[in-house]
Amino acid sequence: MSQATTYRTCPRSGLQFEANAEKLMVANAVTAVVFLLLGGILAIGVVLTRWPAIHWLEASTFYQVLTAHGIDMLIFWIIFFEIAVLYFCSSTLLRCRLATPRLAWLAFALMLIGAVTNNIAVYQGASSVMMTSYVPMMAAPSFYLGLILFAVGALIACFVFLGTLVVAKRDKTYQGSVPLVTFGAITACIIAVFTIASGAIILIPTYLLSVGLIDRVDPLVYRTIWWAFGHSSQQINVAAHLSIWYAVAAIAFGAKPMSE
């Protein structure tokens, strides 16, 4: 494919978008907003139930809604959007092609299938274990399987981002250090890899427990490792947000950092 048909220059910002990267940015960002919207709608049910004058939902339904709300808002929305940010901060800001777009689409598919599978498990009513899903409370196997698929997809996407940095460095599409916005995205990616690995370490044995292949997961070990996943996922959000703030200031106002 020729350079002219692969890249598009935004007439307003002057930024150069590679076709595969742009499609993946849109897919991940739109999916993120859908889960944000879904989580926000579920939040209405949570608020109206906690409001004593209304107390809308029954206890079983309340915890079902609260579980879906927590996962959609604190995991799926954040990480889908972060992947879109990673692709923007690598391919677009460094003006290079996206490394392995097929793997990037595979990552998106795994994340989407995992997120939908997890939500279905919650809405079926047997997985109202809250976002933390502490053992010995057990959800349906598909609840954990969905999270594992999502984590694998997100991990692949992180490595696609890192591979894109290698492409940019090899093709010499920038000089000196990477832009500050890209540096922030690299920070978010490093945190994301740790976060996803922590989730996999504890969710895989929990899935095996749910299907009866192992007898026990230690509750204290579960909580310790799960919160390495839970807290770190919020730090992904912080690093990505800081990157976006710098990007918005630069694109909208032409601002430049005093030091890279």
Side-chain angles (χ1 to χ4, degrees):
M1 186 177 291
S2 66
Q3 189 87 347
T5 57
T6 302
Y7 291 90
R8 177 184 72 84
T9 300
C10 175
R12 290 190 176 184
S13 65
L15 293 172
Q16 178 178 277
F17 290 87
E18 193 265 334
N20 287 310
E22 184 174 16
K23 291 175 184 176
L24 281 156
M25 285 179 232
V26 171
N28 280 279
V30 169
T31 305
V33 172
V34 169
F35 277 103
L36 175 64
L37 177 62
L38 179 59
I41 293 171
L42 293 170
I44 296 173
V46 174
V47 171
L48 293 181
T49 303
R50 294 296 299 272
W51 190 352
I54 298 178
H55 199 69
W56 185 26
L57 302 174
E58 296 294 329
S60 59
T61 306
F62 171 77
Y63 284 107
Q64 180 182 1
V65 168
L66 185 59
T67 299
H69 162 72
I71 293 174
D72 288 345
M73 295 289 279
L74 296 177
I75 297 177
F76 298 148
W77 136 247
I78 288 176
I79 297 182
F80 267 118
F81 198 81
E82 190 227 349
I83 299 305
V85 170
L86 292 185
Y87 293 154
F88 173 80
C89 291
S90 55
S91 177
T92 301
L93 294 186
L94 299 181
R95 300 184 299 278
C96 70
R97 66 175 179 83
L98 189 73
T100 60
R102 289 184 180 179
L103 274 181
W105 281 113
L106 173 63
F108 174 73
L110 287 173
M111 292 172 67
L112 182 59
I113 292 169
V116 172
T117 299
N118 178 268
N119 269 256
I120 290 174
V122 174
Y123 296 136
Q124 286 176 337
S127 301
S128 301
V129 291
M130 311 285 283
M131 184 186 74
T132 50
S133 57
Y134 289 148
V135 295
M137 290 192 302
M138 294 305 300
S142 57
F143 176 91
Y144 305 107
L145 180 61
L147 289 175
I148 292 168
L149 289 174
F150 180 84
V152 171
L155 191 60
I156 293 172
C158 287
F159 285 118
V160 171
F161 164 73
L162 295 174
T164 305
L165 298 181
V166 173
V167 170
K169 185 71 173 179
R170 184 195 63 196
D171 294 347
K172 299 180 180 179
T173 61
Y174 66 95
Q175 295 180 348
S177 62
V178 296
L180 186 59
V181 177
T182 303
F183 179 80
I186 294 171
T187 304
C189 180
I190 293 170
I191 299 171
V193 171
F194 171 80
T195 300
I196 296 163
S198 299
I201 287 170
I202 200 59
L203 287 172
I204 290 175
T206 308
Y207 170 72
L208 296 177
L209 176 64
S210 72
V211 296
L213 293 180
I214 61 175
D215 297 328
R216 183 175 182 270
V217 172
D218 184 87
L220 181 58
V221 172
Y222 179 95
R223 293 188 181 204
T224 301
I225 299 177
W226 193 95
W227 278 110
F229 164 77
H231 283 305
S232 300
S233 66
Q234 309 313 305
Q235 305 313 311
I236 299 172
N237 197 25
V238 172
H241 268 90
L242 289 174
S243 300
I244 292 169
W245 292 340
Y246 276 113
V248 169
I251 295 169
F253 307 109
K256 294 183 179 180
M258 295 180 64
S259 172
E260 288 278 9

